Amino acid sequence: SYTTTTSLPSSAMPRVLHILVLLIVVLAWHSQHVDGVTAAENVALQDLYRNLDGPNWIEKKGWLNGDPCINSWYGVNCTSSSASGHVQALLLPDNELFGTLPSTITNLFLASSINLRDNKVAGSIPDTIDTLRSLQHLDLGENVLGSSIPSSLGSLLSYSLHYLDLSRNEFSGLVPAFFSGKESSFSYVDLSGNPFICPLPANIAYTGASCINWTITGISSSCITRYLPEYTTVYGQGFGTISGVHCQLSTAAGVTFSTPAMPLTQNML
């Protein structure tokens, strides 16, 4: 019997390898897409709908129906209405959004504008916000966002971000230092109406930020052995801004206690 083998000429090998590489790239790209937008973008929008009470939005036409770009989901603007489209803008102001931002919102990697103004968005801005390097316009004003403004947001000033509105929320803590002297980096910025803790960084008057001073005016100790160990009551003003601050108090015997601050305001009594 005879066995014959056929081999490609050595000159054809580079071309074959090139075709194989292209095929692998195309298959990998296709596996990451769902009817147009990437799977990651699709997950971000679905998580947003679920986290922010989508069924009760004022306008929700098209949401969760097929591809966001092809089927024109309300408030979702795309680079194209074809199968090659990506999310370019998320515009849902004054639409009864209620809940917290999903961490997957940072999957909208080509979004240049996000506007969720005048809703009831709570929680915090994800620390990974700095991955949205195409973001130019961010408006989260008039919500109930709290905690601190993430310092990672500042890195976006080195990319495209120039419009930022975080006004009339519940951001506390210190204003991040990246705002200091960066007026020329913004076309518009508004941090007003938030209970930041003093002191403010230098040269941020342009942001409209203000802060609250808290002052200790007296301390008294008590002991209710049946219910609580020894506790200390601190009297003062402006304590509504220090709910995330820990207090350290020392007794005459040199024992130091570290405990979360519990502000008791008129609204809490």
Side-chain angles (χ1 to χ4, degrees), residues 209-229:
S210 59
C211 63
I212 300 174
N213 281 301
W214 54 276
T215 306
I216 295 177
T217 58
I219 295 177
S220 66
S221 296
S222 302
C223 183
I224 305 176
T225 55
R226 183 176 177 183
Y227 302 106
L228 295 170

Side-chain angles (χ1 to χ4, degrees), residues 37-38 40-42 44-45 48 63 68-69 75-80 84-92 104-116 128-140 153 156 159-163:
V37 300
T38 63
E41 289 174 284
N42 201 286
L45 294 176
L48 187 92
W63 276 79
C69 298
V76 178
N77 292 356
C78 298
T79 56
S80 169
S84 61
H86 293 284
V87 177
Q88 188 174 42
L90 181 63
L91 310 174
L92 296 169
T104 50
I105 194 171
T106 57
N107 291 351
L108 303 178
F109 60 96
L110 286 181
S112 61
S113 181
I114 295 177
N115 185 345
L116 305 181
T128 52
I129 190 73
D130 58 336
T131 61
L132 294 179
R133 294 181 178 179
S134 297
L135 194 61
Q136 301 176 28
H137 182 288
L138 179 61
D139 191 344
L140 299 176
L153 185 63
L156 295 183
Y159 294 94
S160 304
L161 185 67
H162 62 85
Y163 184 107

Side-chain angles (χ1 to χ4, degrees), residues 160-233:
S160 304
L161 185 67
H162 62 85
Y163 184 107
L164 179 65
D165 193 335
L166 301 179
S167 63
R168 299 179 67 181
N169 275 279
E170 296 179 3
F171 291 110
S172 57
L174 298 171
V175 176
F178 71 78
F179 284 104
S180 181
K182 289 290 185 178
E183 184 172 5
S184 62
S185 299
F186 292 99
S187 62
Y188 180 86
V189 60
D190 190 354
L191 302 181
S192 64
N194 289 288
F196 296 114
I197 295 177
C198 296
L200 296 174
N203 304 314
I204 68 161
Y206 70 94
T207 67
S210 59
C211 63
I212 300 174
N213 281 301
W214 54 276
T215 306
I216 295 177
T217 58
I219 295 177
S220 66
S221 296
S222 302
C223 183
I224 305 176
T225 55
R226 183 176 177 183
Y227 302 106
L228 295 170
E230 183 177 11
Y231 68 92
T232 301
T233 302

